[in-house]
């Protein structure tokens, strides 16, 4: 009798397992329908939590794209292996969305973890009134660069001795090594951010340092060192770029980071209309204070009729999103201290002082810088295209008879193939180089053409990525200036190869 009683629980377990196995697993379409219903329910509870609402909207966009994919798959005639590969890919992506929804649900229920990993490590109080997020970016790389004279014998370095643009390079380096700290105090409405950089390309320890007050969807305030809202690519973090670096056009025309105050916001349910307005020192990325009494004023507006394409998503389309498109425009104005001594290649202190105060009023002359930009971005099922056009006018005032004008444009197109985890992108850029504040005694080009291609192997999205990139630059209008005398130089072609490991969280 005891033996029978002992066997009964085992029999029940075996029978339960058989029944479970007999029930078919939910299809991808059923799982996506369940997730869509769950998103709708959570959105009703997250109306007053911007961070949770943003996460839900991102999942909602991914769901819309996947449901269309599954609908097409059901009507397609595929072999067993091809169908199996597709379903395996769906399982991974659906599982990722389920984890994100679980995290949002716990946040809304007030039962979130006090420590863990969610797009970065975090530590939080049980009630989530205090949170610290820790992130990092590491980019060790090999870089080789070979400048070649066009139609001339000899080496570029011998023709331009001690000129950086003409020097060849081959070696290993740590291009970027950044630590990111962020989070909120008392409430998610009061955020903060601190980015520290220690790599070859970081050029200054403190990259970002600001406090943030999130008031409403349409009004949020950032105070401290942030990114001037001019140029979409300049506002995308280094960890989310398709290429190993931004276009030379972006670097030449955008102010980058600066100290100041920024307000931003969006309108409509899916942030279709967004804006940023800011007032900054205008002294450059790393000075600790303004270099004159004037400020830089900047603004940007973007319209995305089918749903926002946030800079937080980065470049490319790893989300395989449905068709989205965004158009935008930006401007900035700044009065900058004149760079006339550098522009004339003057080293004599007395002569340099005369050039800095040509109107003889006892103060350094200023140059008015007016800049405008237009941008176009589109995403569709792994394909991503973005393009920007920049135009800049420099007004030296009464000390020069005419304004100086410059312009540049770049366009890049990339595609992501989730089954192979490969991303391929190409970019072309052209610019009339402003070169403001550069020492003209060093060789520099007036015009630059740039063509680049990159192949990315995404082991874990952009968290762990392997990159191979080739860039070709045509440097035209090479010249140097010394004591006001311009010496024309020979044009250069520059070949550059980068092989980079990219780790980010």
């Amino acid at each position: 009798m005891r033996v029978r009683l002992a066997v009964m629980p085992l029999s029940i377990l075996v029978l339960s397992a058989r029944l479970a196995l007999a029930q078919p697993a939910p299809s991808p379409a059923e799982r996506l329908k369940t997730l869509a219903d769950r998103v709708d329910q959570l959105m009703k509870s997250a109306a007053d939590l911007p961070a949770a609402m943003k996460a839900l909207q991102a999942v909602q966009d991914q769901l819309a794209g996947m449901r269309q994919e599954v609908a097409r798959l059901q009507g397609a005639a595929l072999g067993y292996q091809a169908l199996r590969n597709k379903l395996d890919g769906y399982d991974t992506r659906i599982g990722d969305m389920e984890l994100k929804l679980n995290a949002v649900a716990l946040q809304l229920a007030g039962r979130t973890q006090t420590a863990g990993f969610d797009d970065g490590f975090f530590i939080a109080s049980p009630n989530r009134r205090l949170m610290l997020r820790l992130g990092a970016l590491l980019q060790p790389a090999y870089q080789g660069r070979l400048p070649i004279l066009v139609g001339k014998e000899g080496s570029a370095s011998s023709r331009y001795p001690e000129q950086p643009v003409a020097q060849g390079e081959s070696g290993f380096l740590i291009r970027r090594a950044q630590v990111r700290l962020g989070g909120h105090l008392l409430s998610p409405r009061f955020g903060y951010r601190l980015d520290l950089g220690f790599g070859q390309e970081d050029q200054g320890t403190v990259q970002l340092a600001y406090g943030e007050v999130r008031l409403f969807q349409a009004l949020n305030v950032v105070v401290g060192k942030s990114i001037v809202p001019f140029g979409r690519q300049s506002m995308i973090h280094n960890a989310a770029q398709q290429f190993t670096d931004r276009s030379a056009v972006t670097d030449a025309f955008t102010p980058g980071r600066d100290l100041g105050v920024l307000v931003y916001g969006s309108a409509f349910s899916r942030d279709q209309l967004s804006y940023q307005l800011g007032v900054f020192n205008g002294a450059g990325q790393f000075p600790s204070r303004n270099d004159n009494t004037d400020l830089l004023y900047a603004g940007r507006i973007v319209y995305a009729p089918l749903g926002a394409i946030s800079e937080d998503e980065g470049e490319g389309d790893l989300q395989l999103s449905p068709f989205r498109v965004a158009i935008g425009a930006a401007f900035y104005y700044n009065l900058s201290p004149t760079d006339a001594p550098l522009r004339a290649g003057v080293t004599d202190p007395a002569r340099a002082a005369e050039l800095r105060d040509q109107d003889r009023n006892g103060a350094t002359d200023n140059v008015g810088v007016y800049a405008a930009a237009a941008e176009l971005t589109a995403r569709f099922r792994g394909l991503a295209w973005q393009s920007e056009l920049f135009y800049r006018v420099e007004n030296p005032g009464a000390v020069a008879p005419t304004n100086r004008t410059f312009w540049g444009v770049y366009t890049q197109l990339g595609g992501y193939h989730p089954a192979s985890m490969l991303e391929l992108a190409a970019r072309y850029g052209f610019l009339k180089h402003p070169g403001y504040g550069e020492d003209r005694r060093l060789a520099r080009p007036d015009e630059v053409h740039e063509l680049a291609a990159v192949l990315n192997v995404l082991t874990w999205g952009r968290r762990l990525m392997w990159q191979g990139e080739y860039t070709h630059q045509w440097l035209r209008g090479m010249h140097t200036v010394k004591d006001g005398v311009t010496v024309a130089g020979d044009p250069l072609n520059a070949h550059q190869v980068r092989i980079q490991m990219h780790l980010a969280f």
Side-chain angles (χ1 to χ4, degrees):
M1 191 67 179
R2 289 181 180 175
V3 173
R4 290 181 179 177
L5 290 174
V7 169
M8 285 181 65
L10 180 60
S11 302
I12 293 172
L13 287 174
V14 172
L15 180 60
S16 299
R18 288 181 176 176
L19 289 173
L21 291 172
Q23 294 177 353
S27 69
E30 292 170 337
R31 292 177 67 186
L32 290 172
K33 174 64 168 61
T34 302
L35 286 179
D37 293 340
R38 194 173 175 199
V39 167
D40 292 339
Q41 294 173 0
L42 290 173
M43 277 189 161
K44 295 176 182 178
S45 304
D48 60 341
L49 290 176
M53 182 63 76
K54 189 174 182 179
L56 289 170
Q57 288 171 349
V59 172
Q60 190 177 55
D61 290 339
Q62 294 178 49
L63 277 170
M66 282 197 66
R67 294 183 77 176
Q68 292 180 18
E69 285 183 45
V70 170
R72 286 200 307 272
L73 182 63
Q74 289 174 341
L78 297 176
Y80 172 78
Q81 190 58 46
L83 181 62
R84 184 69 264 166
N85 291 339
K86 285 279 189 181
L87 292 178
D88 288 344
Y90 290 151
D91 283 342
T92 301
R93 291 159 61 189
I94 292 173
D96 182 60
M97 285 188 285
E98 287 173 338
L99 288 175
K100 290 179 180 178
L101 289 183
N102 288 339
V104 173
L106 287 172
Q107 181 180 354
L108 295 177
R111 298 193 300 271
T112 46
Q113 296 174 304
T114 57
F117 183 87
D118 178 18
D119 285 334
F121 294 100
F122 69 89
I123 302 173
S125 60
N127 59 6
R128 284 282 171 134
R129 290 175 64 84
L130 302 174
M131 175 178 283
L132 169 65
R133 289 187 177 274
L134 173 64
L137 170 64
L138 180 63
Q139 292 180 335
Y142 166 80
Q143 179 169 297
R145 187 174 187 276
L146 179 63
I148 299 174
L149 290 170
V150 178
K152 301 287 184 178
E153 295 183 359
S155 67
S157 58
S158 64
R159 188 62 58 90
Y160 298 104
E162 300 180 0
Q163 307 299 307
V165 72
Q167 302 304 308
E169 179 183 4
S170 177
F172 298 93
L173 66 159
I174 302 296
R175 297 192 60 249
R176 291 187 177 89
Q178 298 178 359
V179 176
R180 305 194 301 272
L181 303 173
H184 62 255
L185 299 171
L186 301 179
S187 163
R189 295 185 181 278
F190 302 102
Y192 62 90
R193 176 78 175 266
L194 175 63
D195 285 17
L196 305 176
F198 308 96
Q200 183 80 15
E201 303 291 339
D202 292 337
Q203 298 183 359
T205 303
V206 179
Q207 305 293 299
L208 297 173
Y210 60 78
E212 182 175 8
V213 181
R214 305 179 185 104
L215 298 173
F216 313 103
Q217 177 188 4
L219 180 61
N220 306 273
V221 183
V222 173
V223 181
K225 187 173 186 177
S226 60
I227 300 174
V228 177
F230 184 83
R232 176 183 178 83
Q233 192 173 61
S234 72
M235 301 186 67
I236 296 175
H237 195 274
N238 298 320
Q241 300 282 337
Q242 272 186 318
F243 288 78
T244 62
D245 223 335
R246 296 172 178 85
S247 168
V249 182
T250 297
D251 290 338
F253 284 92
T254 59
R257 310 174 187 94
D258 205 348
L259 290 163
V261 178
L262 171 73
V263 297
Y264 72 93
S266 61
F268 309 119
S269 61
R270 299 178 65 187
D271 299 329
Q272 287 98 326
L273 183 67
S274 62
Y275 78 93
Q276 293 121 347
L277 294 171
V279 181
F280 302 87
N281 281 345
Q285 300 201 51
F286 298 106
S288 59
R289 58 182 60 197
N290 202 353
D291 55 0
N292 59 14
T293 59
D294 301 290
L295 299 172
L296 180 152
Y297 305 89
R300 176 172 176 256
I301 186 168
V302 178
Y303 177 59
L306 304 177
I309 305 179
S310 168
E311 291 80 26
D312 294 338
E313 295 180 33
E315 295 184 339
D317 186 22
L318 305 189
Q319 300 84 9
L320 304 178
S321 55
F323 179 71
R324 291 181 293 164
V325 63
I327 57 174
F331 77 92
Y332 83 81
Y333 166 73
N334 186 28
L335 272 178
S336 296
T338 182
D339 65 342
L342 293 171
R343 188 175 292 274
V346 171
T347 56
D348 178 68
R351 176 60 179 152
E354 291 179 1
L355 291 176
R356 280 192 290 268
D357 184 17
Q358 296 184 51
D359 58 7
R360 304 295 187 270
N361 65 352
T364 299
D365 297 333
N366 286 323
V367 174
V369 178
Y370 306 81
E375 64 184 72
L376 176 62
T377 308
R379 306 278 174 88
F380 181 65
R381 305 202 184 291
L383 292 175
W385 174 46
Q386 68 182 49
S387 187
E388 293 187 87
L389 172 67
F390 300 95
Y391 185 75
R392 173 183 173 116
V393 177
E394 296 174 2
N395 178 9
V399 302
T402 59
N403 294 337
R404 303 186 290 260
T405 60
F406 310 89
W407 68 279
V409 62
Y410 81 86
T411 185
Q412 71 183 50
L413 176 66
Y416 170 59
H417 187 255
S420 62
M421 297 187 296
L422 295 178
E423 181 182 42
L424 180 65
R427 178 169 68 200
Y428 171 76
F430 168 80
L431 69 149
K432 293 274 193 178
H433 207 298
Y436 197 87
E438 294 182 1
D439 190 342
R440 303 303 170 93
R441 293 173 301 166
L442 302 177
R444 61 178 298 276
D446 283 334
E447 294 184 3
V448 178
H449 295 261
E450 176 186 66
L451 185 63
V454 66
L455 176 63
N456 298 327
V457 181
L458 292 88
T459 310
W460 187 19
R462 298 227 191 272
R463 296 187 183 95
L464 178 56
M465 180 169 62
W466 310 85
Q467 298 179 279
E469 179 183 290
Y470 170 75
T471 303
H472 186 102
Q473 287 187 332
W474 294 261
L475 309 176
R476 299 296 182 261
M478 297 291 298
H479 66 276
T480 58
V481 183
K482 186 173 182 180
D483 293 327
V485 178
T486 300
V487 179
D490 300 317
L492 298 177
N493 288 347
H495 304 268
Q496 180 175 279
V497 173
R498 282 182 183 153
I499 301 173
Q500 179 169 278
M501 182 182 185
H502 172 105
L503 303 100
F505 63 84

